[in-house]
Amino acid sequence: MATFIGMPAFPEASARAVGDAQLRHNLRKATHTIRARRAAVVAEQPDWAGLRAAGAAIKDRTLRHLDVYLERLESAVTAAGGHVHWAEDAAEADRIVVDLVRATGETEVVKVKSMATQEIDLNAALAAAGIRAYETDLAELIVQLGDDLPSHILVPAIHRNRAEIREIFSGRMASWGRPAPEGLTDDPRALAEAARLHLRERFLRAKVGISGANFAVAETGTLVVLESEGNGRMCVTLPETLISVVGIEKIVPTWRDLEVFLQLLPRSSTGERMNPYTSMWTGATEGQEFHLVLVDNGRTSVLADRVGRQALRCIRCSACLNVCPVYERAGGHAYGSVYPGPIGAILTPQLRGLTGPLEESLPYASTLCGACYDVCPVAINIPEVLLDLRAKVVAGDHRAERLAMGAARRVLDHPKWLALAQRSVGRLRRWTPRHLPGPLSAWSDTREVPVPPRESFRDWWARRAGEEGGR
Amino acid sequence: MRVALFVTCVNDTIFPGTGRATVRLLERLGCTVDFPMEQTCCGQMHFNTGYRDDARALARRLISAFDGYDAIVVPSGSCAAMVREWYPSLGVTPPAGVHELSEFLVDVLGVTDVGAYFPHTVTYHPTCHSLRALKVGSRPLDLLSQVRGLTLVPLGGAEECCGFGGTFALKNPAVSAAMCADKVRGVLDTGAEVLCAADNSCLMHIGGSLIRQRAGVRVLHLAQILASTEED
Amino acid sequence: MSSRDRILARVRAALADVPRTETPEDVEVPRAYDRSRSGPDVVELLIDRLVDYRAVVREVTDVVAAVADALARRGAHRVAAPAGVPAAWLGGVQAVRDDPALSAADLDALDGVVTGCAVAVAETGTIVLDCAEDQGRRALTLIPDYHLCVVRRDRIVRTVPEALTRLDPSRPQTWISGPSATSDIELDRVEGVHGPRTLEVLITPAL
């Protein structure tokens, strides 16, 4: 099974992606399409700024009083006949879900796309327990059949084009169930139809469904899942047992608060005024057995960081990915986690801690261009969190860079030393190398090195002042 | 009007022509320009790389160097943004009256026609920090469109980052180069002779690639175009 | 100590900077957005938005005739209907009442389903079903490939906030905005995946 474990640091992984012309083409086309769609539907919403400010504030209210809301949610769900479970980490969450499925006696489950279950690598845990999990979202199906990894929050197979998807379906569907039709073409309509046929039977006889949730309303115990294809409705409606795995930060305080998020999320995410289907249910519904698994898995550490805490406002819309110039070229896999793009660059190092080269490289996987902050529907200041994380990274062991930065600061902190340094490079300007040594070669590999001037600005200023004074 | 020029360390050391053009432009518009010699660097490189103590020391130096000035003009969007938008997160209060060049011209002096003449086809890259941190909006374009002889052509994908990002260009060279390649393609598609921006670090990046490709397009800071007159 | 207690303890420890006296309501939420809005006629707007999603939509006065006509054009001979759909609507067709509950396989074998709706949101082209008598349980509108939905004018609101105030959170809800769709392949929108591939809406006068 494909895994993010042991991924190289961002610069190496992204360098590989940058060299993949097919991937670059797929990503460019997809991100530019969705970017334009989002911009159009956000522009037509006259009160967007007000919704965005309200969305951020509602999430802040929730986070600052998360203990209150968690308990409120628990009692509302319980009162409505649901069962609430608490998982401190991925392993515990996996164990809870495996035990719940085992208790039903089933060995198959249908899953609606959920970031939380990807984060805890639930499918692997289920497989180890002899339970087969069938992904039912079209893009997740592509990823699962291709033994691949997701590369986008909303469109996990964004890195694949139609020809590649046709190949995966034709080659792999048979080993998971109903084979792809003979002579399958790469027309997206034909591919979607193949997925419909492949999954139809499975939906109709599934006994256990597993979902995440976009929102959990503390006041009423209502869970909310937004989707497009109808696979979500199938998974949450038809099975006798429904298990929803939800991060503790997915809470909104009240029913009324949904009026903000049901406007912010679809427009930011798929670029639609509203996504085709939204399911809402409260506790055990229509005779179903309902389990809610609340997952921490690092979220309380994020909550403890006063700057980084804002990352928990995230509603997983993926607008920041779609607008990010780095994501567009690096692709999602380079971020080494189920959370790619700008939000991943701040979320992954916080959820996992700055524990390795990958996590330490992520805060630097940005030019700080600020496009992510502009489009974020809950106003997460991603550049601010990146900068804060960078300060934490360099507090660790980075001697060579620290020495260089210290030397630069000492020169820059003394105008006279700066002037001396400027004059010496000015004198050596004829020998400006085309190729720089060491880490600086990263610059000169593709760009010309600027030739220093004969005279710095400050020397020109001093000379001019002298000449004027002498006149 | 008396103004202090914060030329920035990059302009001071590598692009003094931008500093000289800014002085010439401001003096032509009736300003008295001071250059406090104690100034060095705003601390952005250190701050953006995570070295906050170093950045704070440089920020304090800048504050004291510019003490007593009502108006500080900065011919760099990202340095102006560093001072104005990010100093507070270092616990340093930014001095009042910090203006990026186009902001100063349009908002403080109230001019868009600065009497410039530049008979060339120009395209403009808005640069991320001017665009999204300072939100200078159309000010640079308003200034350029008043320059006599100048033909302004729109840049496709203008709002996309060029991939410089300070130490990003060194830490993530592959992605940086890929972003720069797309920006260069956008510039070449315009057919312009000159690429203009209000930030020399971005121009050094895009320009470095244009020269390496022998693309035949030169880069100029906004100040240099606005300072140009028929006499040049 | 249970995982529950440990998680709650960690949450409280993480929030050490929040003053003990602060209540959730002390965190101000600015509501500078529109809960309602003026604009074009809501019926026209709803039609425009539904058409945009490529749903089939018509304004009708005679519901009975319109339902019969729609089903005939569709070629839907055997359709499901929840208990509360008026018999008069179904005059011309063979309706299978979901009473006792039809199995998933039964539903899959039907040509379509006819329902009413709880609320419709004009700005977003959304039909909200809340499992009331004229809408039935959720599977009913999920499995058949064709959904004919009758929307009374007085059920139409303009904005999402207006819709939420009319709805009861304790009832299961399905918000439907156009037919089932996906954009998972190169961001090309394709209609018709797992949900009903055809959504047809009849807008009728208020009662």
Side-chain angles (χ1 to χ4, degrees):
Chain A
M1 202 173 271
T3 172
F4 281 114
I5 296 165
M7 292 275 289
F10 186 82
E12 290 78 51
S14 61
R16 228 174 294 156
V18 161
D20 183 339
Q22 182 68 64
L23 177 67
R24 291 280 297 280
H25 176 81
N26 296 354
L27 283 171
R28 183 181 169 83
K29 181 168 182 248
T31 54
H32 283 249
T33 303
I34 197 161
R35 214 182 277 179
R37 224 181 272 165
R38 176 209 162 269
V41 293
V42 166
E44 73 170 31
Q45 183 83 21
D47 54 350
W48 186 256
L51 286 168
R52 183 173 184 251
I58 292 168
K59 280 289 182 181
D60 282 352
R61 172 183 281 181
T62 312
L63 293 169
R64 284 178 74 85
H65 297 278
L66 190 58
D67 51 337
V68 173
Y69 289 118
L70 280 166
E71 290 188 304
R72 224 174 259 183
L73 175 70
E74 180 188 44
S75 51
V77 170
T78 309
H83 306 276
V84 179
H85 312 261
W86 301 69
E88 286 188 83
D89 55 19
E92 188 177 12
D94 287 336
R95 207 161 48 235
I96 291 168
V97 177
V98 165
D99 289 347
L100 289 171
V101 177
R102 275 192 176 143
T104 66
E106 293 295 315
T107 55
E108 290 183 3
V109 299
V110 287
K111 275 187 71 200
V112 52
K113 181 177 151 9
S114 118
M115 297 307 297
T117 59
Q118 281 180 16
E119 178 190 319
I120 62 172
D121 209 2
L122 178 62
N123 291 4
L126 290 169
I131 300 159
R132 207 167 199 194
Y134 293 94
E135 292 292 350
T136 64
D137 169 75
L138 178 52
E140 289 285 15
L141 178 68
I142 297 164
V143 169
Q144 186 174 47
L145 294 177
D147 193 21
D148 199 350
L149 289 166
S151 70
H152 190 276
I153 290 174
L154 173 72
V155 197
I158 197 168
H159 56 289
R160 298 288 196 183
N161 68 11
R162 59 187 71 189
E164 296 170 290
I165 295 166
R166 191 202 72 83
E167 244 172 71
I168 292 168
F169 279 11
S170 292
R172 304 280 304 153
M173 267 185 175
S175 58
W176 283 82
R178 181 177 171 146
E182 283 292 315
L184 178 65
T185 69
D186 65 4
D187 178 357
R189 271 170 310 197
L191 295 169
E193 175 66 11
R196 178 183 170 97
L197 294 171
H198 179 72
L199 289 170
R200 189 88 187 157
E201 268 306 300
R202 190 144 344 267
F203 284 133
L204 299 186
R205 60 186 161 85
K207 296 280 187 279
V208 182
I210 296 180
S211 83
N214 295 98
F215 306 103
V217 183
E219 170 190 49
T220 61
T222 308
L223 266 73
V224 185
V225 167
L226 281 73
E227 52 132 354
S228 298
E229 296 168 14
N231 63 310
R233 293 176 68 190
M234 292 277 184
C235 290
V236 305
T237 308
L238 300 182
E240 293 161 5
T241 302
L242 172 61
I243 304 166
S244 298
V245 181
V246 179
I248 54 173
E249 84 287 17
K250 295 284 106 182
I251 294 180
V252 297
T254 66
W255 173 251
R256 181 192 173 183
D257 291 328
L258 288 177
E259 72 188 22
V260 174
F261 296 102
L262 289 179
Q263 299 193 74
L264 287 174
L265 182 50
R267 287 176 199 259
S268 299
S269 187
T270 51
E272 292 167 303
R273 297 186 180 107
M274 191 63 90
N275 51 295
Y277 299 130
T278 297
S279 295
M280 304 187 190
W281 70 96
T282 303
T285 305
E286 295 177 343
Q288 215 174 32
E289 173 97 359
F290 174 61
H291 297 274
L292 171 62
V293 183
L294 293 170
V295 182
D296 179 347
N297 201 34
R299 285 162 177 75
T300 45
S301 320
V302 186
L303 190 65
D305 190 299
R306 293 175 199 189
V307 176
R309 173 183 294 170
Q310 57 185 308
L312 296 178
R313 288 184 199 150
C314 177
I315 56 174
R316 311 282 188 261
C317 72
S318 70
C320 64
L321 280 63
N322 299 331
V323 79
C324 177
V326 176
Y327 175 87
E328 181 189 331
R329 279 124 192 133
H333 293 157
Y335 293 82
S337 128
V338 299
Y339 302 112
I343 186 66
I346 62 169
L347 205 50
T348 304
Q350 292 199 89
L351 286 172
R352 295 189 195 157
L354 294 164
T355 45
L358 170 72
E359 290 76 14
E360 289 203 332
S361 69
L362 286 175
Y364 293 94
S366 164
T367 62
L368 305 174
C369 85
C372 48
Y373 179 30
D374 270 13
V375 298
C376 178
V378 285
I380 301 170
N381 190 337
I382 293 177
E384 182 185 33
V385 182
L386 288 167
L387 286 163
D388 194 62
L389 286 167
R390 289 178 185 189
K392 293 185 167 86
V393 170
V394 302
D397 183 28
H398 292 267
R399 275 194 67 213
E401 186 178 273
R402 176 161 287 283
L403 284 172
M405 284 287 170
R409 194 264 286 170
R410 277 188 292 281
V411 171
L412 290 169
D413 212 3
H414 295 86
K416 292 208 172 67
W417 295 8
L418 176 60
L420 273 174
Q422 287 167 339
R423 276 171 222 141
S424 36
V425 292
R427 272 194 297 275
L428 297 170
R429 61 196 296 274
R430 282 175 51 205
W431 290 282
T432 303
R434 259 198 98 192
H435 297 282
L436 297 171
L440 296 175
S441 66
W443 177 275
S444 56
D445 282 349
T446 56
R447 311 158 190 90
E448 212 71 10
V449 181
V451 178
R454 275 175 224 288
E455 182 182 51
S456 70
F457 179 83
R458 70 177 60 235
D459 280 355
W460 172 79
W461 182 269
R463 184 163 60 79
R464 188 176 89 139
E467 283 165 7
E468 276 172 8
R471 249 183 303 201
Chain B
M1 180 172 188
R2 182 163 162 261
V3 300
L5 173 65
F6 171 42
V7 77
T8 82
C9 63
V10 166
N11 288 329
D12 182 7
T13 306
I14 309 176
F15 304 105
T18 295
R20 294 195 299 267
T22 306
V23 173
R24 183 178 164 198
L25 172 65
L26 292 174
E27 288 181 346
R28 190 172 79 214
L29 294 170
C31 296
T32 305
V33 181
D34 275 1
F35 179 78
M37 293 295 275
E38 287 298 304
Q39 67 176 281
T40 56
C41 166
C42 66
Q44 186 180 192
M45 178 182 73
H46 289 91
F47 180 71
N48 284 359
T49 315
Y51 295 88
R52 296 205 163 186
D53 292 340
D54 293 321
R56 195 173 295 110
L58 294 171
R60 294 218 171 102
R61 155 168 296 283
L62 184 131
I63 300 290
S64 78
F66 285 90
D67 188 35
Y69 288 98
D70 298 330
I72 303 166
V73 178
V74 191
S76 158
S78 66
C79 301
M82 173 69 201
V83 175
R84 219 161 66 192
E85 310 297 323
W86 291 107
Y87 272 15
S89 68
L90 287 171
V92 174
T93 308
V98 172
H99 307 279
E100 182 275 333
L101 177 64
S102 71
E103 293 175 326
F104 180 76
L105 296 173
V106 175
D107 301 347
V108 181
L109 295 186
V111 291
T112 48
D113 184 351
V114 296
Y117 172 75
F118 190 76
H120 300 282
T121 307
V122 176
T123 194
Y124 182 77
H125 171 52
T127 75
C128 301
H129 292 163
S130 289
L131 190 69
R132 283 180 282 265
L134 295 176
K135 304 199 187 322
V136 303
S138 67
R139 291 178 184 85
L141 294 171
D142 297 343
L143 290 158
L144 285 172
S145 62
Q146 297 290 321
V147 174
R148 269 169 291 285
L150 187 148
T151 308
L152 191 60
V153 288
L155 175 64
E159 299 194 350
E160 260 200 56
C161 177
C162 72
F164 174 60
T167 49
F168 178 83
L170 301 179
K171 287 178 181 284
N172 286 286
V175 177
S176 172
M179 289 166 67
C180 194
D182 289 342
K183 182 58 73 180
V184 163
R185 190 177 312 143
V187 171
L188 296 180
D189 283 349
T190 65
E193 308 162 65
V194 176
L195 170 68
C196 173
D199 215 317
N200 272 330
S201 39
C202 310
L203 283 179
M204 176 173 74
H205 185 236
I206 310 168
S209 182
L210 284 165
I211 297 169
R212 179 62 61 87
Q213 295 179 33
R214 312 290 187 260
V217 177
R218 61 187 167 125
V219 298
L220 278 177
H221 191 281
L222 178 68
Q224 289 167 293
I225 292 180
L226 297 182
S228 301
T229 58
E230 263 103 341
E231 295 147 32
D232 292 321
Chain C
M1 216 182 184
S2 66
S3 294
R4 175 189 189 276
D5 296 338
R6 275 191 295 271
I7 291 172
L8 287 171
R10 271 211 299 275
V11 168
R12 289 181 188 119
L15 296 170
D17 60 308
V18 176
R20 275 162 183 273
T21 52
E22 185 182 298
T23 67
E25 290 67 36
D26 290 337
V27 183
E28 203 187 322
V29 174
R31 305 251 178 199
Y33 55 86
D34 307 331
R35 305 200 75 233
S36 54
R37 250 193 292 271
S38 56
D41 176 59
V42 286
V43 177
E44 278 169 39
L45 188 59
L46 177 64
I47 292 173
D48 175 77
R49 295 296 146 94
L50 285 166
V51 167
D52 201 39
Y53 292 133
R54 280 169 284 232
V56 184
V57 53
R58 278 186 304 149
E59 254 192 288
V60 300
T61 45
D62 181 352
V63 189
V64 178
V67 170
D69 178 50
L71 293 176
R73 270 186 294 111
R74 169 76 186 181
H77 305 295
R78 289 182 70 240
V79 297
V85 161
W89 287 9
L90 303 162
V93 294
Q94 187 190 352
V96 183
R97 293 285 177 173
D98 186 39
D99 185 24
L102 298 159
S103 72
D106 292 339
L107 286 170
D108 200 30
L110 294 175
D111 296 329
V113 59
V114 182
T115 72
C117 89
V119 180
V121 190
E123 280 192 345
T124 58
T126 303
I127 307 284
V128 185
L129 308 178
D130 71 354
C131 300
E133 285 276 279
D134 63 340
Q135 298 147 51
R137 65 198 171 95
R138 295 173 295 170
L140 208 56
T141 46
L142 172 60
I143 298 175
D145 200 22
Y146 169 74
H147 179 194
L148 179 62
C149 185
V150 177
V151 178
R152 278 168 26 196
R153 292 186 76 119
D154 55 330
R155 297 273 166 100
I156 304 173
V157 298
R158 184 180 305 277
T159 67
V160 170
E162 286 167 344
L164 279 159
T165 55
R166 285 202 187 187
L167 291 161
D168 172 359
S170 67
R171 303 186 70 89
Q173 290 169 27
T174 307
W175 293 45
I176 300 171
S177 309
S180 158
T182 183
S183 297
D184 282 351
I185 302 166
E186 297 182 15
L187 273 302
D188 258 7
R189 185 177 159 96
V190 175
E191 268 128 40
V193 199
H194 306 297
R197 286 181 284 192
T198 308
L199 170 68
E200 182 160 355
V201 177
L202 300 177
I203 300 176
T204 69
L207 283 185

